[in-house]
Structures are given as C-alpha cells and as structure tokens.
Amino acid sequence: TQLLEQSPQFLSIQEGENLTVYCNSSSVFSSLQWYRQEPGEGPVLLVTVVTGGEVKKLKRLTFQFGDARKDSSLHITAAQPGDTGLYLCAGTRQGGSEKLVFGKGTKLTVNP
Amino acid sequence: EPEVTQTPSHQVTQMGQEVILRCVPISNHLYFYWYRQILGQKVEFLVSFYNNEISEKSEIFDDQFSVERPDGSNFTLKIRSTKLEDSAMYFCASRDMYSNQPQHFGDGTRLSIL
C-alpha cells in the first residue's frame, strides 16, 4: 500500500492542452511539497503547501491542498514541451516525523 | 540561489568495498537528510540529522550505514561492505530551522556496485 498515491502514472498530451495530476492519501499531512525531477538529477522544489484548502500559483501551474490535508493536485494550463518531466509529491505526516514520504510520481510528456 | 552540492556525481565500487558520499548542504540550514532512489522506484528516506546526531533513521539504515558532519560544511554518508543492492541514486537534502520549511535536494550521487 502506497502512503501517497499519484495519478496518473504516465500522461502524454499535446502542447497547449491543460492537465491535472493528483496526489492522494488516507493520512493527514502537515505539509506537502511538489517537486520536479529530470533524469539523473535531484528533485527540484516547485511549491510547499501547509494549510488545508490552500491554493498556490506558479505561472501556469496551480497547486491545491485538500481541505482535510490528505490530498493535493497540480494543474498545468496550456502545457508546453518544457513542462515535460517527472512530477513528485512528497509530504511530512501530521504527528509523525519530519521525513519526507514520496509518491511514485507522474511522468508527463508534452508533445510539440 | 543557494543549492545543495553532492560529490561525486557517479561512484563505481566493487562489492564489499566501503564508499563515502559527500554533501555540502545549504549554508544556513540546520537539518540534513539522506534519501535513496533505486532505479525505477520511488525516493526513500534513509536518515535525518540535527545538532550533530541522528534524529531518525529508516529500517534501511542499518549498521552498514553511518553519517557524519566532520566539519561545518560537509555531511557524509558512509556505506561499509557494499552490496549489489546498494546500487541506487543517493540524494542529500537540507532545510532551514523553521517548521514546515521544505527540504532542498542535491543532484545526487549515482552509486554502482559491481
């Protein structure tokens, strides 16, 4: 059983399309991060969300933290080929340790 | 922008040998971490380190592993008597002292055990 379930696992879309990827759990998280990872490199932080219901925008990316702090979503508007990559959600569990628990990631491919 | 740096980028070692992976965390950060990622699998927590001692370790982090902060800038992971299954990407991360601050990752060391 995965503590953080990401879906879809793979997503291939055309340039200009919108997309949403999801990160779900049955556990409550005190904070949740979204990272992007390129092959052979480390995860690069995109955003941190800590408050239930929080919405953060980063240019064409919109991140939402669920009201119950058990889930999150990443929405990309008008995707571009440069958005291609592996998107990881990771969080620290409420009342737990500070270690990050990672999802398996969503591999996004944006075709020109 | 400050970043976490790791060396070497790739380490090839014979099974049974010892390896030391090095990390320079972001300078004002106080919490340090090691994670690993076996090829095709998710990133897994190994150990956290604060105030010169281990604050938490996973079941992966057995007696084969040790961490050290030998000076004010470096943070090292030592793996003794390496096994084939230790082959993975090893990531160092650090974060600021305030709660809910995110962890920032280095680019990792690819460890290949032959």
Side-chain angles (χ1 to χ4, degrees):
Chain A
T1 302
Q2 298 291 326
L3 191 58
L4 276 174
E5 296 269 3
Q6 288 193 246
S7 60
Q9 189 175 353
F10 299 97
L11 184 58
S12 181
I13 62 170
Q14 293 300 121
E15 182 176 3
E17 292 183 0
N18 301 330
L19 67 112
T20 302
V21 297
Y22 301 93
C23 177
N24 295 302
S25 178
S26 57
S27 299
V28 177
F29 286 83
S30 57
S31 71
L32 201 140
Q33 284 82 46
W34 283 90
Y35 293 87
R36 178 173 159 177
Q37 185 180 26
E38 302 296 336
E41 298 181 9
V44 175
L45 180 70
L46 297 174
V47 79
T48 299
V49 286
V50 297
T51 305
E54 184 175 4
V55 176
K56 282 192 173 178
K57 292 186 181 245
L58 186 67
K59 297 183 181 177
R60 293 177 294 101
L61 278 60
T62 301
F63 304 86
Q64 187 162 12
F65 201 14
D67 290 341
R69 291 185 289 139
K70 293 182 178 181
D71 54 84
S72 181
S73 64
L74 158 59
H75 181 79
I76 301 179
T77 303
Q80 298 175 1
D83 295 327
T84 293
L86 180 67
Y87 290 84
L88 299 170
C89 70
T92 51
R93 292 175 65 186
Q94 178 78 14
S97 71
E98 60 180 310
K99 71 179 182 187
L100 276 177
V101 176
F102 278 82
K104 281 190 170 182
T106 292
K107 179 71 175 73
L108 172 65
T109 302
V110 182
N111 303 298
Chain B
E1 185 171 328
E3 57 183 26
V4 176
T5 56
Q6 291 187 242
T7 55
S9 57
H10 191 188
Q11 174 79 47
V12 182
T13 301
Q14 291 289 330
M15 185 172 60
Q17 297 296 305
E18 173 182 288
V19 295
I20 297 176
L21 310 183
R22 302 181 191 281
C23 169
V24 179
I26 294 172
S27 62
N28 62 336
H29 285 187
L30 299 179
Y31 294 82
F32 314 115
Y33 309 85
W34 284 100
Y35 292 81
R36 80 173 184 189
Q37 186 177 33
I38 295 171
L39 186 63
Q41 299 186 22
K42 63 180 181 178
V43 178
E44 301 175 289
F45 169 79
L46 290 177
V47 66
S48 58
F49 190 87
Y50 170 71
N51 199 26
N52 282 319
E53 60 183 27
I54 290 173
S55 47
E56 184 180 0
K57 58 184 180 180
S58 73
E59 63 275 9
I60 303 169
F61 194 91
D62 60 20
D63 292 343
Q64 184 192 5
F65 295 86
S66 62
V67 290
E68 192 177 31
R69 187 156 164 82
D71 52 45
S73 60
N74 290 282
F75 179 51
T76 61
L77 174 68
K78 182 188 291 185
I79 309 174
R80 287 179 285 275
S81 190
T82 49
K83 304 188 285 272
L84 294 176
E85 53 265 38
D86 294 327
S87 296
M89 284 288 289
Y90 287 80
F91 294 108
C92 174
S94 69
R95 74 168 179 89
D96 203 344
M97 60 182 289
Y98 302 105
S99 62
N100 285 334
Q101 287 299 301
Q103 296 176 28
H104 295 265
F105 285 77
D107 274 343
T109 293
R110 179 173 298 282
L111 178 62
S112 300
I113 307 299
L114 305 179

